[in-house]
């Protein structure tokens, strides 16, 4: 069932053209293009949600005759709503999920958000846990609930509980795919680093010193002092050779390689830039850092081209 045969067009045709492109990406399994289209047209899709959430007559007729025939189309519509929700436009997903129904999981999440804003943290968490117990929906939604629970625990300074929910959020996000993977990866890394620093252990102190050096190197790079930045990073890599293999600071090795690659690129040495960025990509893949791997894969593509320097940075 193609969006191109809907028989309904918006005044300027944007919604139909966008949904046709989204359906093509969905059918081809091109997740990157699907997410890119959702990001690019999020505002118009959210503003015109009444037009594409309400099934055209021919789609409704086909569904009554053979639900399986239009299932891919319905899955595509749900994916669009989920992507918009992750981009900060929740109304389409709320509508599809029947959020206006009293007692629905979506309505409870909305109530929990209001409780959190009023400072009722324990009540908020209790309601969110109830939603987890009752709801057996998709992985993306479950990931979002764990993210909210992690945030609540972090506000109470309960880092162990926050990390436990962040791990769950990341696991469900990996199953669901999409932009949640990147968001939950970053959140988990931040919480793990915060716990190490709070413990004040030798490993935590090592991590703190590592983060401080990388931050200084990034600031030097931002000021176009690339040689000085790389000098700091080389000294840090020398120290890193003495770190235990399970040291928390090891999570920053890929970032160190990547920043060195970027410095070399901006300094005009593409060969060194490529070599260090390849090391960054390999390190991120080795330790399961999918976000970093995507950043450095994109940087390698830019290094291979002529023209402007790569825009992606990891600070």
């Amino acid at each position: 069932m193609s969006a191109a045969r809907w028989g309904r067009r918006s005044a300027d045709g944007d919604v139909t053209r966008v949904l046709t492109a989204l359906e093509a990406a969905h059918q081809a399994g091109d997740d990157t293009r699907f997410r890119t289209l959702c990001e690019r047209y999020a505002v118009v899709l959210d503003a015109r949600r009444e037009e594409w959430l309400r099934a055209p007559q021919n789609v409704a007729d086909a569904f009554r005759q053979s639900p399986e025939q239009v299932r891919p189309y319905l899955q595509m519509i749900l994916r669009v709503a989920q992507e918009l929700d992750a981009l900060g436009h929740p109304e389409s997903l709320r509508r599809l999920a029947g959020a206006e129904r009293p007692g629905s999981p979506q309505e409870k999440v909305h109530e929990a958000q209001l409780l959190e804003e009023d400072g009722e943290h324990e009540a908020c968490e209790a309601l969110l846990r109830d939603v987890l117990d009752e709801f057996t929906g998709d992985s993306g939604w479950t990931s979002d609930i764990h993210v909210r629970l992690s945030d609540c625990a972090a506000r109470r300074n309960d880092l162990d509980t926050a990390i436990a929910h962040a791990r769950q959020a990341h696991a469900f996000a990996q199953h669901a795919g999409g932009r949640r993977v990147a968001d939950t990866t970053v959140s988990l890394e931040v919480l793990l680093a915060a716990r190490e620093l709070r413990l004040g252990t030798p490993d935590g102190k090592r991590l703190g010193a590592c983060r401080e050096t990388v931050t200084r190197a990034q600031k030097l790079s931002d000021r176009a002092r690339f040689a000085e930045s790389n000098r700091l990073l080389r000294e840090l890599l020398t120290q890193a050779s003495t770190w235990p293999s399970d040291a928390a600071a090891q999570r920053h090795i890929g970032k160190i390689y990547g920043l060195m690659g970027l410095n070399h690129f901006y300094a005009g040495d593409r060969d060194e830039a490529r070599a260090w960025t390849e090391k960054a990509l390999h390190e991120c893949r080795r330790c399961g850092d999918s976000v970093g791997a995507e950043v450095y894969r994109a940087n390698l593509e830019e290094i291979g081209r002529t023209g402007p320097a790569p825009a992606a940075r990891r600070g």
Side-chain angles (χ1 to χ4, degrees), residues 3 19 165 178 220-221 232:
L19 286 168
H165 282 297
L220 288 169
S221 178
L232 270 182

Side-chain angles (χ1 to χ4, degrees), residues 18-284:
V18 172
L19 286 168
T20 299
L22 282 165
E23 187 172 19
H26 176 69
Q27 291 176 347
D30 190 343
D31 294 338
T32 299
R33 176 160 174 74
F34 192 94
R35 292 194 297 271
T36 299
L37 286 167
C38 287
E39 291 175 3
R40 184 179 303 163
Y41 296 104
V43 173
V44 68
L45 286 168
D46 182 58
R48 300 284 184 85
R49 59 181 175 271
E50 295 296 337
E51 298 180 35
W52 55 271
L53 285 176
R54 189 171 60 251
Q57 189 60 48
N58 60 332
V59 174
D61 292 342
F63 183 80
R64 282 192 290 270
Q65 295 171 9
S66 175
E68 290 300 320
Q69 179 184 351
V70 298
R71 190 174 299 279
Y73 162 79
L74 297 176
Q75 290 173 339
M76 186 271 293
I77 291 296
L78 177 59
R79 281 188 68 191
V80 173
Q82 290 171 335
E83 290 292 336
L84 290 180
D85 179 59
L87 290 164
H89 303 285
E91 291 305 318
S92 298
L93 186 60
R94 284 172 56 82
R95 178 73 60 83
L96 285 177
E100 69 278 2
R101 295 195 306 269
S104 70
Q106 291 74 19
E107 185 62 28
K108 287 183 178 180
V109 170
H110 180 64
E111 292 176 14
Q113 182 176 344
L114 295 178
L115 288 169
E116 181 67 19
E117 291 172 358
D118 290 340
E120 300 289 342
H121 305 306
E122 293 184 3
C124 170
E125 290 183 71
L127 192 53
L128 289 172
R129 286 194 294 269
D130 286 345
V131 173
L132 276 182
D133 291 340
E134 299 172 4
F135 187 67
T136 57
D138 64 33
S139 297
W141 172 259
T142 306
S143 174
D144 291 346
I145 300 300
H146 279 291
V147 166
R148 292 174 184 271
L149 283 165
S150 178
D151 289 344
C152 287
R155 290 190 184 96
R156 292 189 291 100
N157 288 321
D158 184 351
L159 290 182
D160 288 339
T161 299
I163 288 170
H165 282 297
R167 290 189 189 280
Q168 288 284 77
H170 184 56
F172 281 109
Q174 287 181 307
H175 186 268
R179 61 185 294 115
R180 290 181 180 87
V181 178
D183 294 340
T184 56
T185 298
V186 172
S187 296
L188 180 56
E189 286 184 350
V190 168
L191 288 168
L192 288 170
R195 184 171 65 179
E196 293 293 340
L197 292 171
R198 176 176 293 182
L199 290 173
T201 61
D203 196 33
K205 293 176 181 178
R206 183 186 300 116
L207 175 61
C210 174
R211 287 165 60 91
E212 181 181 350
T213 301
V214 171
T215 298
R216 288 167 54 204
Q218 181 69 68
K219 289 179 178 178
L220 288 169
S221 178
D222 292 341
R223 293 161 57 191
R225 296 166 64 178
F226 307 121
E228 293 177 62
S229 176
N230 274 349
R231 191 177 303 115
L232 270 182
L233 294 171
R234 286 194 183 93
E235 292 174 0
L236 185 56
L237 285 176
T238 299
Q239 297 173 26
S241 65
T242 67
W243 295 344
S245 60
D246 60 348
Q250 291 282 1
R251 294 195 293 269
H252 289 268
I253 295 295
K255 187 180 296 185
I256 296 169
Y257 290 156
L259 182 53
M260 290 189 71
L262 202 61
N263 284 337
H264 281 295
F265 184 89
Y266 280 104
D269 190 340
R270 286 180 179 261
D271 290 339
E272 282 292 303
R274 182 180 297 105
W276 283 105
T277 306
E278 286 174 348
K279 287 167 69 74
L281 177 60
H282 175 76
E283 177 64 21
C284 289

